[in-house]
């Protein structure tokens, strides 16, 4: 499903000789192009019409040859130490090595280190290119779909684990306690993270917000969880082995929500169903997003400072937010995109509600990966 020639097209359009990345595997582009996981930044050089080359320290070469999906050489064979003997400066030696291998003008991504780019300019022309690798990453291969589905399954299990803790907590004057501890946002977030870590996943900035905290969509939460108020959980873990994310949100109430919160929840749930029904190849993200804006307006909910305050969704893969957006922009969805659908409503005096699923764009439908109910009351 991918377009493997997008980098070649970029080089041909610009007249450049090579595309260069200097990053660790925390960079989704580096992880995508090499399939290699490494903590420290390393070099990837792809010349027009050729396979990319991964240049590693000697200590990483044997592992790289086993794990990377592109040719690997050590820095010594790439000429680093020869240049270092002359330059006496690591950045300068790296720049001379890159320029020698590239053999002409270089295209780099936005996140390329400025200090290294300045050194490279002593040897060759350096230009920023359009996000070609991000465009490649937006349309997923079958193995990527499998990896995201695997992460999503574990995400659902973690959400269900958290829901069970809330459900089984003891109430003391409306405040929830679990194992004789106050059931705070931090406590439940820690339980979720430990659950995921034991299964080979990591999560950061997980949202476990309660009450008025839920009126701010990305408030991670800090208070004790209480009965009769919304509890919003937004979980987006990454598989530490493959690097692929998933993303999921649910809103719960332990007890009896007030009438207005129930009405909000029902509106969000209908918007969530509508959004998923509208997903197909060839539709723009703005058309889906605006349909939700129109639906909310018909139910008396605005879109702006309160109400529906964010985009309907976004791409997910080696980054939790990547192309394409499902937003007021005119990005067109393609078969093989993996996106979220996550309508929400947020009011300072009531709180917030969000429901989020993830799935793949198909020719005429949305292949939803999420298999978990959307029910408000625990």
């Amino acid at each position: 499903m991918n377009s493997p020639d997008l980098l070649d097209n970029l080089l041909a359009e610009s007249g450049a000789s090579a595309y260069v990345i200097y990053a660790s595997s925390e960079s989704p582009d580096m992880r995508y192009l090499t399939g290699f996981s490494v903590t420290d930044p390393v070099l990837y050089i792809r010349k027009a019409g050729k396979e990319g080359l991964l240049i590693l320290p000697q200590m990483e070469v044997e592992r790289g040859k086993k794990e990377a999906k592109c040719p690997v050489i050590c820095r010594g064979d790439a000429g680093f130490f020869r240049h270092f003997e002359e330059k006496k400066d690591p950045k300068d030696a790296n720049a001379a090595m890159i320029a020698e291998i590239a053999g002409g003008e270089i295209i780099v991504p936005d996140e390329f280190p400025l200090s290294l780019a300045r050194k490279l300019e002593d040897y060759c022309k350096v230009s920023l290119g359009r996000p070609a690798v991000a465009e490649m990453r937006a349309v997923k291969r079958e193995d990527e779909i499998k990896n995201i589905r695997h992460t999503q399954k574990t995400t659902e299990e973690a959400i269900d684990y958290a829901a069970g803790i809330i459900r089984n907590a003891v109430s003391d004057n409306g405040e929830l306690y679990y194992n004789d501890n106050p059931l705070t946002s931090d406590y439940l977030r820690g339980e979720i993270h430990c659950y995921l870590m034991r299964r080979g996943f990591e999560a950061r900035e997980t949202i476990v917000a309660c009450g008025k905290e839920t009126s701010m969509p990305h408030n991670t939460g800090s208070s004790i969880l209480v009965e009769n108020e919304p509890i919003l959980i937004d979980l987006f873990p990454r598989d530490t082995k493959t690097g692929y994310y998933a993303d999921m949100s649910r809103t719960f109430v332990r007890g009896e929500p007030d009438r207005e919160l129930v009405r909000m929840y029902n509106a969000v749930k209908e918007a969530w169903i509508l959004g998923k029904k509208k997903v197909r190849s060839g539709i723009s993200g703005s058309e889906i997003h605006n349909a939700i804006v129109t639906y909310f307006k018909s139910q008396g909910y605005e879109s702006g400072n309160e109400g529906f305050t964010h985009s309907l969704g976004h791409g997910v893969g080696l980054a939790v937010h990547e192309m394409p957006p499902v937003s007021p922009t005119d990005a067109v969805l393609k078969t093989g995109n993996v996106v979220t659908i996550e309508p929400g409503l947020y009011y300072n005096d009531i709180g917030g509600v969000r429901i989020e699923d993830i799935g793949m764009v198909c020719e005429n439908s949305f292949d939803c990966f999420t298999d978990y109910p959307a029910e408000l009351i625990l």
Side-chain angles (χ1 to χ4, degrees):
M1 288 186 294
N2 280 325
S3 300
D5 295 326
L6 284 176
L7 276 182
D8 277 343
N9 292 345
L10 174 63
L11 292 170
E13 291 164 6
S14 64
S17 296
Y19 183 85
V20 179
I21 299 179
Y22 181 69
S24 74
S25 55
E26 287 297 305
S27 160
D29 287 358
M30 177 66 90
R31 187 75 178 260
Y32 180 83
L33 291 169
T34 68
F36 189 61
S37 178
V38 63
T39 302
D40 295 321
V42 294
L43 275 166
Y44 172 89
I45 303 175
R46 178 168 170 181
K47 299 185 70 173
K50 296 185 178 180
E51 285 189 278
L53 181 66
L54 182 61
I55 302 172
L56 298 176
Q58 184 62 54
M59 65 179 291
E60 297 282 17
V61 169
E62 288 307 310
R63 184 170 71 90
K65 288 179 177 178
K66 291 180 179 179
E67 298 177 9
K69 60 183 183 182
C70 62
V72 171
I73 63 170
C74 69
R75 290 188 301 170
D77 290 342
F80 174 82
F81 295 107
R82 171 167 49 83
H83 290 293
F84 183 72
E85 284 294 314
E86 178 186 350
K87 308 296 182 183
K88 307 301 182 185
D89 176 77
K91 278 196 177 70
D92 209 348
N94 255 337
M97 176 186 70
I98 293 167
E100 183 177 71
I101 294 171
E105 181 181 342
I106 291 170
I107 296 287
V108 298
D110 287 348
E111 64 269 20
F112 195 85
L114 178 61
S115 58
L116 182 54
R118 290 279 170 81
K119 289 287 186 182
L120 272 166
E121 288 173 337
D122 292 336
Y123 300 93
C124 60
K125 183 178 178 181
V126 180
S127 303
L128 290 176
R130 75 169 194 275
V133 183
E135 292 172 22
M136 293 164 67
R137 287 173 28 224
V139 179
K140 304 300 189 285
R141 303 181 306 262
E142 288 185 10
D143 63 303
E144 294 181 283
I145 297 297
K146 180 180 178 181
N147 289 336
I148 297 169
R149 284 186 183 275
H150 177 60
T151 305
Q152 177 57 29
K153 184 176 185 298
T154 305
T155 303
E156 292 166 27
E157 292 168 354
I159 290 275
D160 194 57
Y161 174 72
I165 289 175
I166 297 168
R167 187 182 295 111
N168 293 315
V170 174
S171 175
D172 184 356
N173 291 322
E175 294 184 337
L176 298 180
Y177 289 78
Y178 186 75
N179 289 341
D180 297 324
N181 295 301
L183 185 55
T184 63
S185 296
D186 288 334
Y187 182 96
L188 186 55
R189 185 164 34 247
E191 288 292 306
I192 294 169
H193 289 184
C194 288
Y195 181 96
L196 289 164
M197 286 177 64
R198 288 192 293 268
R199 288 155 180 80
F201 296 81
E202 62 181 5
R204 300 176 183 176
E205 300 179 13
T206 297
I207 295 170
V208 182
C210 182
K212 300 302 187 291
E213 291 178 340
T214 61
S215 67
M216 295 172 278
H218 282 173
N219 187 331
T220 56
S222 59
S223 63
I224 190 168
L225 307 187
V226 298
E227 289 188 306
N228 309 325
E229 294 285 344
I231 300 171
L232 199 162
I233 301 178
D234 188 344
L235 182 59
F236 37 98
R238 179 174 70 167
D239 187 331
T240 57
K241 183 176 181 180
T242 69
Y244 283 88
Y245 284 87
D247 199 357
M248 177 180 173
S249 301
R250 287 295 186 268
T251 305
F252 301 114
V253 170
R254 159 72 186 270
E256 294 295 329
D258 67 32
R259 184 179 303 174
E260 184 52 44
L261 184 64
V262 172
R263 194 172 85 84
M264 279 174 56
Y265 188 88
N266 289 338
V268 169
K269 190 170 182 178
E270 287 300 315
W272 167 72
I273 293 169
L274 174 62
K276 291 191 292 182
K277 284 182 177 178
K278 292 190 75 67
V279 173
R280 57 175 172 78
S281 181
I283 195 171
S284 69
S286 62
E287 183 175 340
I288 308 172
H289 176 92
N290 291 337
I292 301 307
V293 171
T294 299
Y295 169 74
F296 278 141
K297 186 176 181 180
S298 74
Q299 301 301 303
Y301 298 110
E302 69 267 31
S303 298
N305 294 330
E306 288 192 303
F308 184 36
T309 63
H310 54 70
S311 297
L312 181 62
H314 55 86
V316 180
L318 286 169
V320 72
H321 293 100
E322 61 180 46
M323 297 172 66
V326 186
S327 72
T329 65
D330 289 326
V332 174
L333 303 189
K334 299 178 182 178
T335 299
N337 291 155
V338 172
V339 299
T340 65
I341 297 295
E342 48 180 303
L345 290 171
Y346 312 90
Y347 289 93
N348 293 330
D349 59 342
I350 301 170
V353 171
R354 182 163 66 254
I355 307 173
E356 176 184 18
D357 280 359
I358 186 175
M360 184 175 70
V361 178
C362 299
E363 184 176 356
N364 295 303
S365 64
F366 182 59
D367 179 6
C368 187
F369 298 170
T370 311
D371 183 19
Y372 194 85
E375 299 298 336
L376 177 62
I377 300 173
L378 290 174

